[in-house]
Amino acid sequence: MDINERIDLIRSDRWIAFDRATIVLNRLISLMEMPRQSRMPGLMVYGSSGIGKTMVAKRMESLYPSQYASEIGVTRTPILLLQAPPAPDERRFYQHILASIGAPMWGRHTVSELEVRALSHLRDMGLKMIMIDEVHNLLAGSYREQRRFLNMLRFLANDLCVALVVFGVNEAVDAIRGDEQLARRLDEHFLPFWEDDVEFSRLVQTLISAMQLERGSGLNVQSLRTILGVTGGVTSRVFTMIKALAIEAIETGEERITDEAIQTWQPVWAKHSWTIRRQPLPAFQ
């Protein structure tokens, strides 16, 4: 590829497998492979914004694409990935489901009418998993609205016999746990900030390898600590920094990410927003 094609590839939104994301992905795959039962287990994946939750959700969706069954004229959709509405609104959520599967309902309808229509379509699709991203949006509603929305999610999972998976920030955990029946059904998987350890070193090495530079980038320990400090241990920012450094290396002809480039790199986000983890870091083992 020429320079522009390589840069476009780096900038593209593509899956780059690293240990932490693969662990979550494998848990989701195991849920998909589980035989259908009346009370399907589920999973709640939570962590700070930018830690990689949405990336995993989209990757999981891509592994089980919709397929049209011409013999019966139905599109089989194993996974339905939705974003929670800005507030816990049942009507809006059912409308979002119908729009996502290409079956919108026009005009004014009751919540029960939207529910019946959505369930009918979802049963025909052969659905096995519902994934809801940004589930922390339910915190925008009152306590009563949150309970009603969580009851609706539990009802959908029960009625369709599908696995329910939700993704949200740390604050949403208490809301989910507030519904005891739903909380018992959802295992929890926490995604923390990255630390100054071997796992973070492997992440950086994996990302640099995916940039497909022509020369190896042998970074020292101080460079790894600088990356961690600048990004605050947030996955999306680590990706942004490594991609920017790789593009710079291609444009300058260096074809590798150097320790000097890391020390002089300036983040694109505001300075006050990347001081979230300014604390002494332990030495690498």
Side-chain angles (χ1 to χ4, degrees):
M1 295 184 291
D2 62 26
I3 289 179
N4 291 330
E5 289 174 330
R6 293 174 65 198
I7 291 176
D8 286 343
L9 180 61
I10 291 174
R11 287 173 174 163
S12 64
D13 188 12
R14 60 195 177 102
W15 171 256
I16 300 175
F18 54 93
D19 293 348
R20 184 180 291 185
T22 302
I23 290 172
V24 181
L25 196 63
N26 287 339
R27 294 193 68 174
L28 295 175
I29 291 173
S30 68
L31 285 175
M32 281 292 293
E33 296 176 347
M34 187 170 295
R36 199 182 293 274
Q37 50 192 278
S38 58
R39 291 292 184 270
M40 289 288 290
L43 184 66
M44 172 169 58
V45 182
Y46 67 100
S48 297
S49 178
I51 209 66
K53 303 179 296 294
T54 299
M55 175 178 59
V56 173
K58 290 183 177 180
R59 175 59 176 175
M60 182 63 183
E61 181 188 36
S62 71
L63 294 179
Y64 297 88
S66 298
Q67 294 183 338
Y68 180 70
S70 58
E71 66 278 7
I72 57 176
V74 174
T75 299
R76 296 295 187 184
T77 304
I79 293 180
L80 184 62
L81 174 59
L82 303 165
Q83 182 172 310
D89 186 327
E90 296 169 85
R91 177 189 301 277
R92 190 167 183 173
F93 186 69
Y94 281 124
Q95 289 174 333
H96 185 34
I97 289 177
L98 291 167
S100 297
I101 62 178
M105 290 184 69
W106 309 110
R108 186 72 176 176
H109 299 276
T110 65
V111 172
S112 60
E113 289 173 334
L114 293 170
E115 175 190 289
V116 169
R117 179 78 181 277
L119 288 173
S120 176
H121 283 291
L122 294 177
R123 289 192 193 98
D124 293 339
M125 290 164 50
L127 196 67
K128 291 201 67 177
M129 177 181 288
I130 296 178
M131 297 194 299
I132 302 175
D133 198 11
E134 308 287 346
V135 74
H136 48 265
N137 287 346
L138 64 87
L139 297 174
S142 65
Y143 177 82
R144 182 177 180 180
E145 290 171 333
Q146 292 178 34
R147 298 281 73 76
R148 286 178 60 88
F149 193 81
L150 292 174
N151 286 339
M152 178 197 64
L153 295 183
R154 190 174 66 252
F155 167 75
L156 282 175
N158 291 343
D159 192 82
L160 297 169
C161 295
V162 298
L164 176 64
V165 180
V166 298
F167 301 83
V169 299
N170 300 332
E171 292 77 8
V173 176
D174 290 336
I176 297 292
R177 290 174 180 169
D179 188 308
E180 185 175 350
Q181 295 183 59
L182 185 60
R184 284 201 301 263
R185 299 267 297 279
L186 301 181
D187 289 338
E188 297 183 5
H189 192 110
F190 174 57
L191 293 174
F193 288 114
W194 293 93
E195 299 286 349
D196 185 0
D197 55 19
V198 174
E199 185 185 24
F200 180 69
S201 176
R202 286 201 300 266
L203 169 68
V204 174
Q205 292 170 12
T206 298
L207 295 181
I208 292 177
S209 297
M211 301 299 103
Q212 298 181 346
L213 299 174
E214 294 179 2
R215 301 173 64 192
S217 302
L219 303 181
N220 59 35
V221 172
Q222 184 55 48
S223 290
L224 294 174
R225 290 177 176 168
T226 298
I227 295 172
L228 185 63
V230 169
T231 62
V234 178
T235 307
S236 62
R237 289 180 174 177
V238 177
F239 272 62
T240 296
M241 183 174 182
I242 296 300
K243 286 185 174 186
L245 288 167
I247 291 173
E248 179 182 322
I250 292 174
E251 291 176 335
T252 60
E254 181 69 35
E255 287 295 341
R256 67 188 179 105
I257 296 176
T258 65
D259 296 313
E260 293 75 18
I262 290 173
Q263 298 302 325
T264 59
W265 188 79
Q266 295 296 317
V268 296
W269 47 86
K271 182 177 180 180
H272 70 273
S273 68
W274 57 270
T275 57
I276 53 179
R277 287 186 53 91
R278 291 298 185 186
Q279 59 183 19
L281 298 173
F284 277 87
Q285 300 298 320

